[in-house]
Amino acid sequence: MSTGELKIEDLHAGIPGREILRGVTLTVRSGEVHAVMGPNGSGKSTLAHVLMGRPGYEILSGTVTLDGIDLLSLPTWQRARAGLFLGMQHPIEVPGVSLVTALTASRPEIEPGEVGADAGAGDVSERMRSEAKRIGFDERFLTRSLNVDLSGGERKRNETLQMGVLRPRFAVLDEIDSGLDVDALAAVGRRVEEATEEWGLGVLAITHFRRLLKVLKPDVVHVLSAGRVVATGESELAEIVDRTGYAAYTGVGP
Amino acid sequence: MRERLFTLSTFAPETAAALPGPPWLRHRRTVAAEAFASTPLPTEKDEVWRYSRIDSLDLDRYQTPVSPDLTATDAHGPPPSDRIRALVDGLGPRSGLIVTVNGVLATVASDVGDDALAIGRMTEHDEAEVLLGSIATDPTDFVLLNDAFAADPVVIDVHAGVTIEHPVVVVHVITGAGGDAVFPRTVIRGGPSSVASVVEIVVDVEGGLLAELPTRGASSVANHAEHLVVPVTEVQVADGAELNYVSIQSLGPATWQLAHQVSTIGADAGLHSFAVALGGSYARLRTDSALIGTSGTSKLRAAFIGRDDQMLDFRTLQDHRAPKTTSDLLFMGAVADRSHSVYSGLIRVRRGAVRSDAMQTNHNLVLDEGAHADSVPNLDIQENDVRCSHASTVGPVSEDQRYYLESRGVEPEVAERLIVAGFFADIADQVPIAGTRAMIGQALADRTGVHGV
Ligand SMILES: Nc1ncnc2c1ncn2[C@@H]1O[C@H](COP(=O)(O)OP(=O)(O)OP(=O)(O)O)[C@@H](O)[C@H]1O
Ligand SMILES: [Mg+2]
């Protein structure tokens, strides 16, 4: 099991003319699960995309490192190869490109011991089948166009499957629970939880609901509000938020 | 200057008249040549030539093959070259083969009895005089030029009620150092209630893209031969007949093509055509498809990829002339580098063609800043009780799709290639003749694969 960290320091970012993240600082270590909660529009998905390098966002200041590598200076695909994975809130349709094709292309030669591939490197389609089984995802989706005509829950399983195949060092999972039925939620949560043990995956799980966090047990919970981490605590924080909402936090800050 | 009467000596009526053939054919050529010579050349000001490069066509640069010796290449002449043989064999089993070289018949072979299928030299067909020009009935500009200078038209005649299992393959080989005007002419008749498939390939044997397939990996010599290729294909799908027709254009990068595919579809008949355009400097394909019998259907498909400075130009007409006819057109293309594509299509539903259903879709991917695609849909609906729809898109590779793939660790060049291949995946599955599917898929992949890598 490897150790390392995804370290976000005083990150300010946004879209041209608007600062959305206004100083985010947090560190996820290998094997840890951090939950990020926060009201709609507080910047959770923005954080996820800024980490992954989505076009359209600009970094104003701050740093992000993955095992010491300066992520923000890398193009998206190299961030992924460095071991970052993003399970998107709204996975994008790619007509005519199947999961098999995409994942085969994403890792042309997986070497045992390579960053992010240190456990169970093997035939990609073999791994896809075994990952599909673990989360109860029908194999016929493997050869269909990515996300095209998939239901909301199927898309989230699809994202989870990719995470399992790619074996990243750190995974940002943006509302991986939304759209999942009860059984799928349990299976997906369990899969991610197991990954933290199997290869020391570090997780930043963005969610609105504590349901997920009952399966995927967070070591740390952060509340993001108006682009800042306004509270950080242990798993009870999720319970408090669940009970009382965000009112107590949204007023925090200058 | 372009409006002046035609005075070029190369394409003069006397030259057309001097081509070999029976008297009726020589007469036909003379009439066509005179008609061509007495009408002005089209210009880009003409609506159907808008966006084209027709103003830079200089007919003086080309010469017709001077009185080809047809007796030297009789119907059982020499076998095609190894490369053409390999190309044709790559298509899998076939029922018949026709090879022309620079417009003159070189090979004919048929595995099906004469009573079911007649293929070969048009002038040897009993009904030659009726068949030639039976579909392309009102020739203008370059159809006239083909009428005048097609040295050796060929025919594929599927007799009534016959089902031909494997496709008939027609290969028009263009060869030589350049400067030749070549006029392939093919007439396909699917007799009443027949079922057949035809693959027609126009290939520059030295520089065409498909010609490289059999020798992939070997370094190919750049081909700068400039030819003018003016193919005309007439397709008749008689009542109750089904015809699959795949055409592949694989010309050299300096060659001009002005092609016409003209079809009529009878009652309860169906045409499923698929055109692939790969090569050429300026390569135009005009597709006119008329539904002339009740409940006839046409499914018209095309896929194309432009590269370098080439221009691929498509004009289509879905002409509904009978009740309850259905046409479904989908043309999809990508333009890279500084290439340019044009799609201009017209749906015409004539009075009386009640309960007709017409669909026209054109999607274009623009892969580079210097590339450009025009898409111009048109409707001419003269009847009330009809359904018509058209859709067209022109745009770059989706930034979101690119981001999604790259976020999985796919390199940008590979991501783009996958997205472009994905763009064509659906239409590539619709290639009607199974044996051509792999070749077309490969040709499209090769053509995108080079891009940016
Ligand atoms: N590309 C963009 N263009 C314009 N506005 C954006 C863009 N991305 C984010 N925003 C805005 O920034 C704010 C934060 O959005 P973000 O999607 O990060 O919120 P979120 O915390 O993920 O919300 P939710 O819980 O609803 O998913 C919102 O006001 C949103 O409208
Ligand atoms: Mg969000």
Side-chain angles (χ1 to χ4, degrees):
Chain A
M1 184 170 297
S2 54
T3 56
E5 58 185 24
L6 175 66
K7 197 177 171 96
I8 304 165
E9 275 185 301
D10 196 25
L11 182 61
H12 292 253
I15 52 173
R18 180 171 166 207
E19 185 177 346
I20 300 170
L21 300 180
R22 301 188 301 153
V24 174
T25 299
L26 63 87
T27 300
V28 183
R29 269 172 278 276
S30 294
E32 288 181 353
V33 175
H34 288 229
V36 175
M37 307 183 81
N40 294 135
S42 55
K44 302 182 297 298
S45 294
T46 301
L47 174 64
H49 287 305
V50 164
L51 293 179
M52 202 72 237
R54 183 174 202 152
Y57 293 101
E58 36 180 53
I59 312 294
L60 301 169
S61 63
T63 58
V64 179
T65 57
L66 190 156
D67 294 356
I69 302 165
D70 173 15
L71 273 191
L72 300 182
S73 68
L74 299 177
T76 294
W77 71 277
Q78 285 181 358
R79 297 184 196 195
R81 296 260 174 119
L84 183 69
F85 178 82
L86 169 59
M88 295 188 193
Q89 182 178 359
H90 302 293
I92 293 157
E93 296 184 5
V94 191
V97 180
S98 72
L99 200 51
V100 178
T101 308
L103 290 189
T104 307
S106 74
R107 293 277 169 141
E109 61 278 322
I110 295 179
E111 300 289 343
E114 182 192 343
V115 171
D118 41 356
D123 175 51
V124 169
S125 59
E126 193 52 52
R127 277 159 59 175
M128 286 177 61
R129 274 194 295 277
S130 89
E131 289 295 330
K133 197 172 288 163
R134 289 177 74 164
I135 54 167
F137 194 50
D138 200 312
E139 274 188 30
R140 73 197 151 91
F141 291 115
L142 305 185
T143 49
R144 275 175 46 173
S145 289
L146 276 168
N147 298 316
V148 176
D149 298 326
L150 293 197
S151 74
E154 286 163 354
R155 289 180 188 208
K156 295 309 168 75
R157 283 200 253 199
N158 191 335
E159 297 288 278
T160 310
L161 181 147
Q162 294 180 51
M163 186 212 76
V165 173
L166 293 174
R167 294 173 184 269
R169 306 294 318 278
F170 292 90
V172 179
L173 303 174
D174 192 354
E175 298 197 23
I176 197 76
D177 50 346
S178 73
L180 291 177
D181 63 47
V182 198
D183 298 330
L185 178 71
V188 163
R190 205 179 315 122
R191 177 67 194 100
V192 179
E193 177 77 38
E194 284 166 6
T196 62
E197 282 146 28
E198 278 173 37
W199 70 88
L201 175 73
V203 179
L204 194 64
I206 296 168
T207 183
H208 287 295
F209 303 108
R210 209 157 57 83
R211 244 179 8 198
L212 173 72
L213 304 180
K214 284 182 176 160
V215 195
L216 177 62
K217 302 249 167 26
D219 301 288
V220 185
V221 176
H222 307 274
V223 174
L224 192 73
S225 175
R228 283 198 182 90
V229 176
V230 292
T232 294
E234 297 189 6
S235 56
E236 309 84 65
L237 181 53
E239 284 168 49
I240 299 167
V241 164
D242 210 33
R243 258 200 327 271
T244 63
Y246 293 113
Y249 306 100
T250 45
V252 177
Chain B
M1 187 178 151
R2 308 274 309 172
E3 275 78 12
R4 72 171 180 202
L5 290 189
F6 192 67
T7 56
L8 299 171
S9 56
T10 327
F11 294 96
E14 307 83 72
T15 318
L19 289 170
W24 67 267
L25 182 57
R26 302 175 67 140
H27 175 70
R28 196 175 187 281
R29 288 191 185 117
T30 310
V31 171
E34 279 166 358
F36 184 80
S38 64
T39 39
L41 279 179
T43 79
E44 287 161 31
K45 292 198 198 78
D46 301 327
E47 184 54 34
V48 294
W49 292 92
R50 258 180 84 196
Y51 307 110
S52 78
R53 288 184 184 166
I54 198 63
D55 287 359
S56 43
L57 172 65
D58 182 359
L59 283 171
D60 275 330
R61 298 169 70 100
Y62 309 100
Q63 62 202 22
T64 58
V66 183
S67 287
D69 182 1
L70 300 184
T71 55
T73 57
D74 80 319
H76 302 284
S81 71
D82 291 347
R83 301 185 96 183
I84 294 305
R85 171 67 65 191
L87 171 68
V88 169
D89 287 347
L91 296 171
R94 60 180 175 267
S95 294
L97 175 65
I98 294 175
V99 179
T100 72
V101 176
N102 283 4
V104 177
L105 187 67
T107 306
V108 179
S110 174
D111 295 340
V112 179
D114 287 353
D115 50 336
L117 174 70
I119 68 172
R121 176 164 282 151
M122 175 60 96
T123 53
E124 291 168 11
H125 192 285
D126 292 345
E127 296 171 65
E129 213 173 329
V130 179
L131 280 172
L132 189 63
S134 61
I135 307 302
T137 44
D138 288 310
T140 56
D141 51 66
F142 296 97
V143 178
L144 273 177
L145 200 62
N146 182 287
D147 276 350
F149 291 95
D152 203 0
V154 297
V155 62
I156 296 160
D157 185 13
V158 187
H159 294 180
V162 168
T163 294
I164 305 286
E165 189 186 353
H166 300 301
V168 175
V169 178
V170 184
V171 185
H172 299 292
V173 176
I174 314 300
T175 183
D180 294 314
V182 183
F183 300 90
R185 180 67 170 251
T186 305
V187 178
I188 301 167
R189 178 164 70 180
S193 303
S194 66
V195 179
S197 299
V198 176
V199 181
E200 186 169 34
I201 300 173
V202 181
V203 59
D204 184 327
V205 73
E206 284 94 10
L209 300 149
L210 288 175
E212 291 176 16
L213 280 180
T215 54
R216 274 167 66 111
S219 72
S220 62
V221 186
N223 179 313
H224 300 291
E226 293 182 43
H227 299 287
L228 173 66
V229 183
V230 186
V232 173
T233 302
E234 300 182 73
V235 177
Q236 180 189 352
V237 191
D239 291 353
E242 291 291 333
L243 184 77
N244 294 318
Y245 172 67
V246 172
S247 66
I248 301 172
Q249 179 272 98
S250 178
L251 291 164
T255 289
W256 269 53
Q257 173 188 263
L258 299 160
H260 293 252
Q261 293 174 358
V262 193
S263 60
T264 61
I265 296 133
D268 299 309
L271 169 67
H272 184 174
S273 81
F274 198 110
V276 181
L278 301 170
S281 164
Y282 171 73
R284 178 178 170 104
L285 170 60
R286 191 182 160 106
T287 306
D288 289 359
S289 180
L291 294 148
I292 59 170
T294 304
S295 300
T297 63
S298 67
K299 187 171 171 184
L300 310 170
R301 297 287 180 269
F304 52 96
I305 298 179
R307 297 200 49 112
D308 303 317
D309 290 302
Q310 83 177 141
M311 179 166 186
L312 300 172
D313 183 347
F314 299 87
R315 314 283 162 146
T316 67
L317 172 64
Q318 295 154 266
D319 190 1
H320 290 252
R321 299 191 203 164
K324 294 194 247 176
T325 46
T326 304
S327 69
D328 168 12
L329 178 147
L330 173 63
F331 277 36
M332 294 183 75
V335 280
D337 306 322
R338 298 157 311 280
S339 66
H340 186 176
S341 70
V342 176
Y343 171 79
S344 175
L346 175 64
I347 293 174
R348 174 173 289 150
V349 180
R350 301 197 190 222
R351 205 166 277 281
V354 290
R355 316 233 312 268
S356 286
D357 190 339
M359 203 156 84
Q360 183 194 82
T361 310
N362 170 232
H363 294 304
N364 304 281
L365 267 186
V366 180
L367 301 178
D368 290 296
E369 256 173 45
H372 185 73
D374 287 300
S375 184
V376 190
N378 290 290
L379 296 176
D380 174 11
I381 312 300
Q382 301 161 12
E383 187 55 73
N384 287 320
D385 185 14
V386 299
R387 274 180 44 191
C388 285
S389 63
H390 59 77
S392 89
T393 57
V394 176
V397 167
S398 150
E399 195 172 65
D400 284 348
Q401 292 177 9
R402 208 192 280 267
Y403 169 62
Y404 187 80
L405 291 182
E406 289 177 24
S407 76
R408 315 289 126 154
V410 181
E411 288 166 74
E413 297 78 14
V414 179
E416 174 168 307
R417 205 187 323 136
L418 293 182
I419 294 165
V420 176
F423 172 81
F424 285 111
D426 187 42
I427 197 167
D429 281 344
Q430 300 178 40
V431 174
I433 301 170
T436 59
R437 213 166 285 149
M439 178 179 290
I440 289 171
Q442 187 62 53
L444 292 174
D446 287 353
R447 200 113 175 99
T448 43
V450 196
H451 180 75
V453 177

